[in-house]
């Protein structure tokens, strides 16, 4: 997310770094985050890792499970290194580890930073706080040009196998999945991954998110098929990076945990 009046969306990783550097040179905090809330670490890491993990190999996490790839490989190491690049260059707010997401979002609204890396719910949250904020959106570009967008579902449809009216149930689900019905449901409410479904949004940022979903390949969040221990250790590694500790052997440690707890992964 970004304050629309202040910048032009970058299309390459180098352009993204250059944009951050220009903002910093103008005494503007490039990115504001509230990493005191641990979950927000993933909000900043996922937009980078999604392309690094899956841009070249959409089956990366399956390949790790099958022994064809490693957590201690270029995918995870690359994502950690790019995250560290943002941290080491001072592009995050100096107090990122001591404030929570609510404060970070308010600082963003108050103009104390140009960008906020967060999920697609952010425009709605901002609309609930102010009606006069020119918000925009751009996807974080991949370093190698293979940009992927993180996307997940929050709704599902199912039919009870024991229903006495299976044909009617199937007909109803088919009707609900028609493009015009999905557009009606999605208006100012939900994003769609279908190219023939274009819900209308009052907030321009939501329209930009919708366009990005259709312009880029999508994938579920990186790490969804990693054991909980690896996810926890990853958050610890990201915190260490933000505190100035560098990437070090973080990927190797994550790989050891993966092998230890691989039985907890469920494909």
């Amino acid at each position: 997310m970004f304050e629309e009046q202040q910048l032009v969306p970058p299309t390459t990783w180098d352009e993204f770094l250059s944009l951050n550097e220009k903002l910093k040179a103008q005494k503007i905090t490039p990115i504001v985050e509230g990493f005191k809330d641990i979950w927000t670490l993933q909000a900043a890491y996922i937009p980078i890792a999604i392309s690094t993990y899956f841009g070249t190999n959409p089956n990366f996490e399956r390949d790790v499970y099958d022994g064809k790839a490693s957590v201690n490989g270029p995918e995870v190491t690359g994502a950690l290194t790019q995250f560290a690049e943002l941290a080491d260059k001072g592009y995050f707010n100096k107090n990122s580890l001591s404030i929570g997401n609510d404060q970070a979002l308010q600082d963003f609204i108050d103009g104390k930073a140009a960008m906020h890396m967060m999920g697609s719910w952010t425009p709605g949250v901002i609309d609930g706080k102010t009606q006069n904020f020119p918000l925009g959106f751009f996807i974080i570009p991949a370093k190698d040009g293979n940009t992927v967008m993180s996307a997940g579902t929050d709704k599902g449809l199912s039919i009870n196998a024991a229903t006495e009216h299976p044909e009617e149930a199937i007909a109803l689900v088919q009707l609900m999945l028609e493009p015009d019905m999905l557009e009606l449901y999605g208006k100012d409410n939900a994003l769609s991954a279908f190219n023939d479904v274009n819900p209308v949004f009052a907030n321009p940022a939501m329209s930009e998110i919708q366009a990005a979903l259709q312009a880029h390949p999508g994938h579920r969040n990186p790490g969804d098929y990693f054991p909980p221990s690896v996810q926890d250790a990853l958050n610890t590694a990201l915190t260490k990076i933000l505190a100035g500790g560098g990437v070090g052997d973080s990927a190797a440690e994550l790989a050891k945990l993966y092998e230890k707890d691989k039985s907890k992964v469920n494909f």
Side-chain angles (χ1 to χ4, degrees):
M1 306 296 169
F2 66 96
E3 189 173 357
E4 201 167 46
Q5 294 177 334
Q6 289 190 350
L7 54 86
V8 175
T11 57
T12 68
W13 178 254
D14 286 342
E15 286 182 4
F16 182 52
L17 294 180
S18 178
L19 169 63
N20 280 271
E21 194 60 37
K22 289 177 181 177
L23 290 166
K24 186 180 176 184
Q26 296 172 29
K27 309 295 185 186
I28 299 171
T29 299
I31 307 168
V32 63
E33 300 296 331
F35 295 131
K36 185 178 180 180
D37 293 328
I38 297 299
W39 65 270
T40 65
L41 289 165
Q42 293 298 309
Y45 177 73
I46 283 174
I48 297 170
I50 190 75
S51 295
T52 308
Y53 287 18
F54 305 116
T56 301
N57 180 12
N59 298 313
F60 167 64
E61 289 184 355
R62 178 76 213 197
D63 284 352
V64 171
Y65 185 79
D66 291 338
K68 300 177 182 178
S70 172
V71 175
N72 189 23
E75 296 86 359
V76 176
T77 301
L80 289 170
T81 301
Q82 286 180 250
F83 183 87
E85 194 168 13
L86 299 182
D88 294 345
K89 291 179 181 293
Y91 296 155
F92 293 117
N93 49 309
K94 293 180 180 179
N95 62 345
S96 64
L97 286 171
S98 60
I99 66 171
N101 184 63
D102 287 346
Q103 183 62 56
L105 183 60
Q106 189 59 55
D107 286 350
F108 179 53
I109 293 171
D110 291 341
K112 296 180 180 179
M115 296 175 284
H116 181 50
M117 297 169 74
M118 193 47 62
S120 59
W121 58 84
T122 303
V125 176
I126 290 178
D127 283 345
K129 294 177 177 290
T130 176
Q131 296 297 311
N132 300 302
F133 190 80
L135 183 69
F137 167 85
F138 66 84
I139 187 171
I140 302 298
K143 191 169 186 176
D144 64 0
N146 295 314
T147 301
V148 180
M149 188 166 183
S150 176
T153 58
D154 70 343
K155 297 289 187 298
L157 292 173
S158 61
I159 297 173
N160 191 322
T163 180
E164 296 179 359
H165 307 283
E167 294 182 2
E168 292 86 345
I170 291 172
L172 176 60
V173 169
Q174 289 175 333
L175 176 63
M176 294 172 68
L177 294 178
E178 286 291 326
D180 55 347
M181 292 296 290
L182 289 174
E183 286 184 2
L184 181 63
Y185 169 76
K187 182 179 179 182
D188 285 324
N189 180 58
L191 298 162
S192 171
F194 297 109
N195 288 333
D196 60 347
V197 177
N198 295 284
V200 177
F201 304 97
N203 190 309
M206 291 296 292
S207 297
E208 291 166 5
I209 297 172
Q210 178 64 62
L213 275 171
Q214 296 176 335
H216 298 279
H219 201 286
R220 65 186 299 161
N221 287 344
D224 275 3
Y225 289 112
F226 286 173
S229 60
V230 173
Q231 292 284 34
D232 291 342
L234 175 59
N235 286 336
T236 299
L238 296 175
T239 301
K240 176 184 174 183
I241 288 170
L242 289 162
V247 174
D249 57 358
S250 296
E253 293 301 320
L254 295 175
K256 290 178 183 177
L257 282 172
Y258 184 94
E259 291 306 316
K260 174 179 175 290
D261 295 331
K262 183 177 178 179
S263 62
K264 298 177 183 178
V265 178
N266 185 20
F267 271 98

